[in-house]
Amino acid sequence: MSLTELPPLPYDYSALEPYIDAETMTIHHTKHHATYVNNVKGALEKFPELKDLGLVDLNKAVGTEKIPKEVATVIRNNGGGHYNHSFFWKVMGKPGDNNGPSADLKAAIDSSFGSLDEMKSKFNAAAAGRFGSGWAWLISKNGGGLEITSTANQDNPLQAIVEDKGIPILGLDVWEHAYYLKYRNLRPAYISAWWNVVNWEQVNANFEAAKKGAVPI
């Protein structure tokens, strides 16, 4: 994944209708995500040595001395935004295109939460309860279990600066720009509808990668 190029969506802007509208997807991708990429590019022009890190390692370096103080905030906000959105686009897809969690992921969910429904309930609560802007995550912990967490703004579980670290398996953007055109202030309605476009095939692949210690992008 390029640090300085906006990745294309893996589907048309209208592919997630009626749950996420085409106008929101167009603005979200071509304006918001593009801005994060452009801001990262500007920071890397000042500190080109950071290009060698790549997007995943750049995020892991947030909150450490690897990131110069002069661009620490820019990298945290925009490097985080670039990774989060690159991840987010892939865990969504056309409604009805896949079959849900794999047997292995379902077993891990059952072990950590009791059931898929209970996992969804806790995930929804984390997403709805995030004050202001941020994300909800299903992550794989170093010990092998799954955990639900949330982060503010464009932070993510890869970053050294966050409290609950792990490898992202699934993530949901709960910034207002992700849902306001269609759902207005009804964030819980957006969260509920979003499950209809979760790309479980990608989530399954993310889980398999995480079991090997690999970070999906």
Side-chain angles (χ1 to χ4, degrees):
M1 179 65 62
S2 171
L3 277 170
T4 57
E5 293 182 7
L6 179 67
L9 287 185
Y11 37 74
D12 293 336
Y13 290 115
S14 62
L16 307 184
E17 294 272 13
Y19 304 104
I20 301 180
D21 58 287
E23 184 179 10
T24 292
M25 288 298 296
T26 301
I27 296 170
H28 201 170
H29 180 247
T30 65
K31 302 299 183 183
H32 292 281
H33 191 179
T35 296
Y36 296 130
V37 173
N38 289 335
N39 289 341
V40 169
K41 185 176 181 180
L44 296 185
E45 288 175 352
K46 298 176 182 178
F47 296 92
E49 65 274 14
L50 295 177
K51 294 179 181 179
D52 295 334
L53 290 175
L55 186 54
V56 169
D57 287 339
L58 185 72
N59 274 269
K60 288 182 176 180
V62 168
T64 75
E65 294 181 354
K66 291 182 180 179
I67 307 296
K69 291 181 180 180
E70 295 91 330
V71 291
T73 299
V74 172
I75 293 297
R76 177 181 180 177
N77 292 337
N78 295 279
H82 186 8
Y83 175 84
N84 294 350
H85 287 85
S86 298
F87 179 92
F88 185 50
W89 308 137
K90 289 188 175 183
V91 297
M92 297 189 293
K94 187 177 179 180
D97 264 7
N98 58 78
N99 299 315
S102 65
D104 284 349
L105 178 55
K106 180 65 164 58
I109 288 172
D110 290 348
S111 176
S112 295
F113 306 104
S115 68
L116 178 60
D117 285 343
E118 187 64 20
M119 184 278 284
K120 287 183 176 181
S121 177
K122 290 182 177 180
F123 188 99
N124 290 356
R130 166 49 58 186
F131 181 77
S133 301
W135 293 73
W137 304 95
L138 174 65
I139 62 175
S140 175
K141 301 291 287 184
N142 288 337
L146 299 178
E147 185 176 302
I148 288 167
T149 185
S150 70
T151 55
N153 301 316
Q154 293 298 347
D155 291 352
N156 63 58
L158 298 177
Q159 297 173 347
I161 207 165
V162 303
E163 183 176 351
D164 296 315
K165 301 174 187 62
I167 298 177
I169 303 298
L170 181 64
L172 173 60
D173 187 346
V174 292
W175 283 63
E176 286 187 345
H177 63 242
Y179 62 88
Y180 213 82
L181 290 180
K182 182 175 179 67
Y183 295 96
R184 301 301 188 227
N185 62 320
L186 302 178
R187 183 190 287 184
Y190 158 68
I191 296 167
S192 178
W194 173 77
W195 288 103
N196 291 284
V197 296
V198 169
N199 178 3
W200 284 106
E201 299 304 318
Q202 182 63 53
V203 181
N204 294 334
N206 293 347
F207 176 64
E208 292 302 317
K211 287 196 297 182
K212 301 173 184 177
V215 176
I217 189 64

